[in-house]
Amino acid sequence: MVTLTRIYTRSGDKGKTSLGDGTRVGKHDLRVEAYGTVDEANAVVGLARLHAEGAMMALLQRVQNDLFDLGADLCTPAAADEVPGTRLRVVQSQVDRLEAEIDAANESLAPLASFILPAGSPLAAHLHHARTVVRRAERLMVALSDVEAVNPQAIIYANRLSDLLFVLARVANGNGAEDVLWVPGGAR
């Protein structure tokens, strides 16, 4: 468990921050961008939770905890000699749980016959917003994986999470009945 007695340390005042392994990098470092975007996604999921109830609220709380796991995974570069299980990493069971949640939520939805706009109820709108931030985090993670080692399960988790958030947004829109459909060229 983490204990914080002081919130500010002044150690980042010159544009540097510490990764989970103690390495100092610029705050613009691609790894910092990736886990910072995961943190942003977590905040947007928190906004969605303000409008959620019951099972949806519990599911979103689990997602928020997973997003902290994902941030911890990303902030600590894998060492060449890392022993599996010694660092907090996203694991296959977290991906499997997302896939089961996607399948369960999708069962009540009619198949899509059109693209939908990120709109509808306040809960749906926040879930769509969270989805787009998770997609950005995923893109940053993939870019990071081109230059440094990234846990492949972390990238897969982000991919599945954006799918889950999309499906949950449809659920929040009256199981898709209140989805706002895209009308190609409709605003011309």
Side-chain angles (χ1 to χ4, degrees):
M1 184 53 88
V2 175
T3 302
L4 298 175
T5 56
R6 283 183 49 203
I7 300 304
Y8 64 91
T9 63
R10 297 187 176 108
S11 64
D13 290 351
K14 294 183 179 176
K16 299 277 187 182
T17 191
S18 293
L19 298 178
D21 65 357
T23 304
R24 299 286 291 170
V25 298
K27 290 186 177 185
H28 63 282
D29 186 89
L30 189 53
R31 183 171 294 277
V32 178
E33 286 286 341
Y35 71 73
T37 305
V38 168
D39 189 37
E40 181 184 350
N42 204 338
V44 180
V45 172
L47 288 172
R49 280 185 59 200
L50 293 174
H51 303 279
E53 297 176 348
M56 175 85 76
M57 181 182 281
L59 191 160
L60 293 176
Q61 183 175 356
R62 285 192 307 273
V63 164
Q64 285 193 287
N65 278 288
D66 278 355
L67 285 170
F68 255 84
D69 290 354
L70 179 56
D73 186 329
L74 290 170
C75 89
T76 307
D81 60 349
E82 182 174 301
V83 176
T86 59
R87 296 279 188 180
L88 181 58
R89 301 287 180 205
V90 172
V91 295
Q92 182 64 45
S93 62
Q94 289 169 293
V95 173
D96 293 342
R97 191 188 72 240
L98 287 183
E99 289 177 355
E101 289 166 337
I102 292 166
D103 292 342
N106 202 41
E107 282 181 11
S108 63
L109 301 174
L112 284 171
S114 171
F115 286 106
I116 62 173
L117 300 180
S121 71
L123 175 56
H126 285 300
L127 291 166
H128 279 300
H129 184 190
R131 172 184 57 79
T132 64
V133 177
V134 169
R135 283 283 190 216
R136 180 164 28 98
E138 179 189 7
R139 290 189 303 271
L140 289 166
M141 292 162 61
V142 169
L144 178 62
S145 75
D146 285 346
V147 294
E148 294 182 37
V150 174
N151 174 8
Q153 292 301 313
I155 295 171
I156 294 167
Y157 180 89
N159 189 310
R160 293 304 180 285
L161 178 57
S162 63
D163 293 337
L164 175 64
L165 294 168
F166 177 80
V167 170
L168 292 179
R170 294 198 66 215
V171 169
N173 275 340
N175 283 327
E178 299 162 19
D179 283 338
V180 180
L181 300 180
W182 173 47
V183 179
R188 289 184 184 175

